[in-house]
Every structure is written in structure tokens, then in C-alpha cells.
Amino acid sequence: MSATRLIPLFVAVPLAGVFFILLAGRKIRSFPEAVSILVTLLLFILSIYSLWVAHTRQVLVHFAGGWRPPAGILLVEDGLTAFMLVTVHVVACCIALYSVSYVRKYSSPWKFYALFLMTLSGMNGILVTGDLFNLFVFLEVASLSACALVAFGTERQELEAAFKYGVMNTLGAAFVLLAIAFLYACCSTLNMADMAGIIATKKNSAAIPFAAVLLIMGFGLKAALVPFHAWLPDAHPSAPAPISAMLSGLIIKCLGIYTLFRVLFCVIGVTPEIKSVLLLLGVLSMGVGAFGAVGQTDLKRLFAYSSLSQIGFIVFGIALGTPLGIMGGLLHLFNHSIGKSLLFLTSGSVDYALGTRDMRKMGGLYERMPVTGASGFVGAMSIAGVPPFGGFWSKLLIIFAAVQAGYIGYAVWATLAGVLTLGYLVKAIKQVFFGPLPEACRNVTEVPLPMQFAMGILAILCAGGGLLLVPGLREVFIRHASDILLNGAVYARLVGGS
Amino acid sequence: MVYLLCIALFCVGLYGVVRKRNVIKIIVGLIICEYASNLLFILVGYRMHGRAPVLGPDVSFENMVDPLPQAMVLTTIAIGVATTLLLVALAIRLYEKYGTFDITQIKDLKG
């Protein structure tokens, strides 16, 4: 079977999983768990294979239903897609494993797994599609099911957060739809490669910059870039822990950052104005997120603000547009996916064991929960950018790239935000895991084995994140992805030519 | 000109989302936003005195409206219904918990 035929599986397999869970999940015990673990594992293996294929053959194009472009819908898999697919499925595997024990406390876990796989299918759809309207459809699939997952607890706070999230997401989608209407009016095509070719010949149309602004607003709302960030600190802590991990680790990146850079860099083509806007948004997010996180007492809320700040780093790095900046940004995307999912899983474990997320009631948990403590420590150090861990290397690359591109002021600001990150994470970890053990926490025990195992895998990946820069690995993993973003016009040529 | 009116309609919806305090009115604002984009899509594909895009053995391609936006708008309407359904369901649950539709009184989460 040729590798091209495997591309639709990324969307179809999770959807089939949803179907079977809805069919039999209520009747058969532990069937939904088994299905979701199997599906994510299968897709993880497929994504590793696709990474190898993208390395050897650069780009794969599948014509959905056999219809040829520009009329038919394309499924495209290039370096960037393969990189994102691997990131998504590493984390999704661990989350599926972690959920086995965690979700037992809710009344109908099978609905949780169905929604989880639905979100996964939507994200994969966004990553593989080569059609702009198709991208919008998958965007809605993913964000609707994510919104339902935020409300999964159906308590006061969860519902409030889900409502905010739902309204913001729908508004973002409306902006994106408006932008797609304008682009369609200009180009009479929805195929992204085709559109890129047409836009390149029409330089002086006023509708295209307007569409770009609408897209920045729409995708910015999904990625929680700073002026559009208000929903994130509410929605991410309110969701069940595995879903917080997925929201922070994957959804804002697939729905926001990937789409933003795919459309702006590969289709519309980046202009100096767009670039300076993106740089400014990135820098603002870094600062607001870091300052917001300092004063938090709720563990998950602190991590959510930290996500905001790290998203700023990623957008800033990629928007620099230099090879070093893009590589740093993508590597930080990977490291942050792993590290922040790990931190949300550890905070979920603490919540599971103690029943509270208030950091003031914790302390000294390391001696009662060594695995959770150790993995939380590794995750925090990686996000904070302490030398041997993954996050250090990516932040270093981003700051170097900023200096190299001549943005000294932004580089200083990024360094300050990095120091602030170290400050609040060290404070949080010290307050939760070290220091005297309060009387109320004497009888705490370590969380069940699957949860420990999931956190352990992520912690090892976190510690080894810097190894991806080793020559050999770098070529396979990250070079093709950064090449695509570095020279957006390549995309149209590769996809159009095959 | 017609396109500008579509944008104006979108802005009406946006005003509803941003300024209104009632949860239901916010949802209605979102629906207006969605419909404005749908309308724009249809108008982009429309031709003056165009015919329905149905291809038969004795029909020529001349003067047909563009069928692609119509297909897309059908999809968007289906998505819009799903979104509205979810948001209204959330609004009902919010009312059960808080006893009000006023967004300024639904504020457990802060900071």
C-alpha cells in the first residue's frame, strides 16, 4: 500500500473510534479506554512512519475521493504536517493512558473518550488538509468538541468557562469564515496551493491584506494571542486534567499557531507589516502571560497563564522568519507541548490525590508522591528553560535569532520574560512539592500506575528535548518543517507539481 | 456596495456579542455574525439574472451562478446549528446553576 493512502487514516481512524465508542461504550466496561489507547497508539506509529516518508519524499498528496484539484479536496502531508502529527500523537498517547484512571471519577466516561477522539480527529484534519474551507470545517469539529470537554464537569465554574470558550471560539471561526469568503472572491479557488499561486500574481489587491487581518484575528482568538486571550485562563483550568493538558499542549497550537503560520506564510505570503504585527503580538503575549502567572494561587491557573507566555515565545520565534528563529519556534512548540501537558497532568494528579488546586494548602508532597513530584519538577524546569532540559535550547535559539535579526529590545524583553518564568515556576514547584508537609496531607498516596506511567514517559521526553538538535535527528525531525515555513512559495510548487 | 452591507451586518452581530449582557442575546449576536458571513459567501457566487447551477444534457454553462459557495454555505449552516445548540445547552445549564442570564453576575472565575 502506498504511503499516500495512509493520509486519510489520520482523520478516519479516530472517527471510527468515536463511532464504536458511541455504539458499545455504555454497555461494555473498559471498552472506551481500550479503543482510545489503541487508536492513539496506532496513529502514533503512523505519524512516525509519515515523518520518515516526509523526510525521504518531501511531500505527499492524496486526492480525496479521486477528484483532481482544483475542484477536489487535497490531503497534503509535508514536513510541517509530519512534525505536528508526531507532536500531537506523542501527547495524545500519554493523555489516553492517563485518562484511564483519572476519568473514573466522572459519571459517564465513555462520553469523555468519544469527545476526546473527536477532538483528535478534528486536529488531524486541520493538519492534513490542503483546502481552506475544509480547514474551517475541521477547526469547528475540534473546537466544538473541545468546548464540550471543558464543560464536562458541569459545575458552576466549568459551565462559565465553557460558555466563554464557546463564544470566543465561534467568533474566531466567524472571522476566519469571512476571510475565506474574501479570499474566495479574489482567487475563485479554495485549494491552498492553487490560491498561493494566484495571490502571488495579484500583488495590489486590497482584499488580501484585509483577509490577512481577519485571519490574524480569527486564528489569534483560537491561539489566545494577547489581545484575544481572555478565555484561556478560565477555560484551561476548568477542564478535566487530561483535557487541560490537551488544550494547552495541542489544541491552541493546532487550531491557532499551525493554521496561522500555514495560511499566512504558505498561502498569503508574509509581508513586513504582517511580520511586525505578529512579532508585537508574540512579545505582548510573553509579557502579559508571565506577569499574570506571578500572582496566582491556583496551580492550574498559573500553568494556564504560563501557556500564554510560552505561546508568545513560539509566535515570536516563528514570526522572526529567519532559519534560526523558525527552528527555535518549532522546537519550542514541541517542548512546550510535552512540558505543559506534563505539568497539567501533574497538577491533575495533585488534584486527584488532594482534592484541591490551591497551592497554599500544599507542601512537601514530594515525599508522599515521588513520581508526580519528580515529573512535575522536570516539566517545570523544561518550561522555565533550565540548561540540560529541552526548553532551554529552544528559548536560547529564539533569543539568539532575535539578536541576529537585529531586534535587540525584543530579545532583552524575551530574556526578562524567561527569567520571570523561571521565578514563578520555581516558586510553584517549591510550594507544592517541597517544604513542610501540612497536617491535612499526611495520608496522601501516590496516584494509580497508568497515571504515573504517562507522566514518566512525558518527563523523559522533556528531559531529552534538547537532543532533537543533534545533527542526524535534526534533519529528520525539524529541518523539513522549518524549510516549509522559511520559504512559503515552496508549498505551492511542491503540492501543485505532484 | 452589497459587500459593505454584509460587513455592516457582521459588525451588528459583533456589537451584540461585545455589548449585550444577556447570555441569549450574545448567542443571537453570534448567529448574526455567522449569517453575515454566509450572506457574503452567497453574494460572492451570485450573478445578475443567473440561473440555477443544474447541469443537464441540453443545458449550456452560460450565465450560471457559482455552485461552490452554495455548497459551502450549506455546510456552514449545519456547523452553525451545532454551535448554537451547544451554546444554548450551556446557557440552560448556566441558568440552572446561577439562576440568571446576566453575564455580569456569572463571574466565579477571576484574576
Side-chain angles (χ1 to χ4, degrees):
Chain A
M1 192 161 61
S2 79
T4 321
R5 284 167 187 270
L6 294 177
I7 304 177
L9 287 185
F10 285 108
V11 183
V13 171
L15 276 184
V18 174
F19 176 74
F20 286 117
I21 289 175
L22 291 181
L23 202 64
R26 200 204 308 236
K27 311 263 162 48
I28 309 170
R29 252 179 70 86
S30 64
F31 175 73
E33 287 90 339
V35 168
S36 64
I37 289 178
L38 271 180
V39 164
T40 48
L41 261 182
L42 176 71
L43 290 179
F44 174 63
I45 296 165
L46 273 182
S47 67
I48 294 284
Y49 175 67
S50 73
L51 188 68
W52 179 249
V53 172
H55 176 57
T56 49
R57 298 200 7 215
Q58 295 224 317
V59 70
L60 293 177
V61 179
H62 176 84
F63 306 108
W67 295 88
R68 293 271 147 183
I73 290 173
L74 293 184
L75 298 181
V76 183
E77 189 187 296
D78 57 5
L80 183 60
T81 303
F83 167 79
M84 291 296 294
L85 282 174
V86 171
T87 313
V88 166
H89 290 114
V90 170
V91 178
C93 262
C94 294
I95 289 172
L97 195 60
Y98 183 93
S99 311
V100 171
S101 316
Y102 188 86
V103 182
R104 293 236 172 90
K105 68 175 182 178
Y106 293 105
S107 52
S108 44
W110 57 283
K111 286 181 189 156
F112 173 92
Y113 290 105
L115 286 168
F116 168 70
L117 288 184
M118 193 75 155
T119 319
L120 192 64
S121 152
M123 283 194 294
N124 288 341
I126 291 169
L127 297 179
V128 296
T129 186
D131 181 282
L132 205 53
F133 188 73
N134 209 226
L135 186 136
F136 167 78
V137 173
F138 281 123
L139 205 67
E140 284 291 83
V141 169
S143 60
L144 270 183
S145 31
C147 182
L149 279 172
V150 170
F152 200 74
T154 59
E155 289 304 316
R156 288 169 74 97
Q157 298 194 349
E158 277 99 345
L159 289 170
E160 186 193 340
F163 186 74
K164 254 184 214 173
Y165 183 48
V167 169
M168 288 299 202
N169 254 329
T170 315
L171 203 58
F175 278 124
V176 173
L177 190 63
L178 206 58
I180 293 176
F182 275 104
L183 287 176
Y184 181 74
C186 277
C187 308
S188 324
T189 178
L190 287 166
N191 184 311
M192 294 210 283
D194 211 14
M195 190 181 270
I198 294 173
I199 288 177
T201 57
K202 274 190 195 177
K203 277 290 175 214
N204 49 5
S205 165
I208 290 167
F210 186 61
V213 170
L214 287 174
L215 284 174
I216 291 179
M217 288 204 279
F219 292 139
L221 268 167
K222 304 249 174 198
L225 284 172
V226 149
F228 318 109
H229 68 288
W231 58 270
L232 186 141
D234 294 339
H236 286 199
S238 300
I243 296 312
S244 306
M246 187 150 93
L247 280 169
S248 252
L250 304 178
I251 292 183
I252 48 175
K253 297 192 179 72
C254 288
L255 267 60
I257 293 178
Y258 169 84
T259 46
L260 186 65
F261 286 110
R262 171 67 90 197
V263 176
L264 285 185
F265 277 47
C266 297
V267 178
I268 294 186
V270 67
T271 59
E273 293 85 17
I274 292 180
K275 194 178 138 185
S276 59
V277 168
L278 287 177
L279 283 177
L280 188 67
L281 291 182
V283 169
L284 272 178
S285 309
M286 273 183 221
V288 171
F291 281 112
V294 171
Q296 298 302 324
T297 52
D298 181 334
L299 190 57
K300 281 175 97 175
R301 209 173 170 82
L302 185 142
F303 291 153
Y305 269 105
S306 162
S307 279
L308 208 59
S309 161
Q310 306 307 317
I311 284 292
F313 271 99
I314 297 169
V315 169
F316 177 69
I318 300 182
L320 280 172
T322 59
L324 199 61
I326 291 178
M327 187 180 282
L330 287 177
L331 191 64
H332 200 60
L333 193 154
F334 178 77
N335 282 331
H336 180 250
S337 286
I338 307 281
K340 193 46 66 65
S341 318
L342 177 58
L343 282 181
F344 269 113
L345 293 188
T346 34
S347 69
S349 297
V350 171
D351 189 10
Y352 184 87
L354 261 67
T356 177
R357 303 194 313 234
D358 193 337
M359 290 197 292
R360 287 167 298 191
K361 293 179 189 154
M362 301 173 190
L365 288 175
Y366 185 76
E367 50 183 283
R368 306 295 315 170
M369 310 165 74
V371 177
T372 308
S375 46
F377 179 75
V378 171
M381 291 303 109
S382 174
I383 297 288
V386 172
F389 299 106
F392 168 73
W393 303 103
S394 43
K395 274 189 190 170
L396 194 69
L397 280 185
I398 292 172
I399 290 168
F400 271 174
V403 174
Q404 200 185 39
Y407 297 100
I408 306 290
Y410 284 171
V412 172
W413 180 250
T415 319
L416 283 179
V419 172
L420 212 55
T421 312
L422 180 64
Y424 63 71
L425 281 177
V426 165
K427 186 191 124 205
I429 291 295
K430 182 174 162 290
Q431 204 164 6
V432 175
F433 291 117
F434 300 102
L437 192 68
E439 200 55 46
C441 305
R442 292 267 175 230
N443 300 323
V444 172
T445 48
E446 183 61 285
V447 291
L449 209 58
M451 288 161 83
Q452 291 183 29
F453 191 61
M455 288 188 292
I457 296 173
L458 284 176
I460 291 167
L461 283 171
C462 235
L467 289 179
L468 290 174
L469 282 176
V470 172
L473 263 179
R474 183 177 60 194
E475 264 77 51
V476 181
F477 196 64
I478 218 167
R479 247 276 308 289
H480 294 289
S482 61
D483 280 354
I484 297 279
L485 286 178
L486 191 59
N487 188 356
V490 167
Y491 178 73
R493 216 178 55 231
L494 283 175
V495 175
S498 53
Chain B
M1 181 60 203
V2 205
Y3 299 153
L4 281 182
L5 285 178
C6 276
I7 302 288
L9 186 61
F10 190 88
C11 291
V12 170
L14 203 57
Y15 174 84
V17 175
V18 177
R19 283 289 292 168
K20 290 294 171 191
R21 290 162 61 181
N22 189 315
V23 168
I24 301 295
K25 285 183 182 165
I26 291 177
I27 297 174
V28 171
L30 279 176
I31 298 174
I32 293 175
C33 278
E34 268 165 23
Y35 281 18
S37 335
N38 287 350
L39 193 59
L40 184 68
F41 248 123
I42 288 291
L43 287 173
V44 160
Y46 181 72
R47 296 180 115 180
M48 273 307 177
H49 313 295
R51 290 188 299 109
V54 183
L55 187 63
D58 53 339
V59 181
S60 66
F61 273 113
E62 278 169 30
N63 207 21
M64 277 184 181
V65 298
D66 188 349
L68 193 56
Q70 302 186 354
M72 288 190 290
V73 165
L74 272 181
T75 319
T76 332
I77 289 172
I79 293 174
V81 169
T83 328
T84 314
L85 196 67
L86 183 65
L87 285 174
V88 171
L90 283 175
I92 293 172
R93 298 299 289 266
L94 273 175
Y95 189 79
E96 281 173 9
K97 297 281 177 193
Y98 289 82
T100 173
F101 275 133
D102 190 344
I103 200 80
T104 50
Q105 287 172 25
I106 303 175
K107 47 173 186 186
D108 274 5
L109 298 163
K110 258 194 260 172

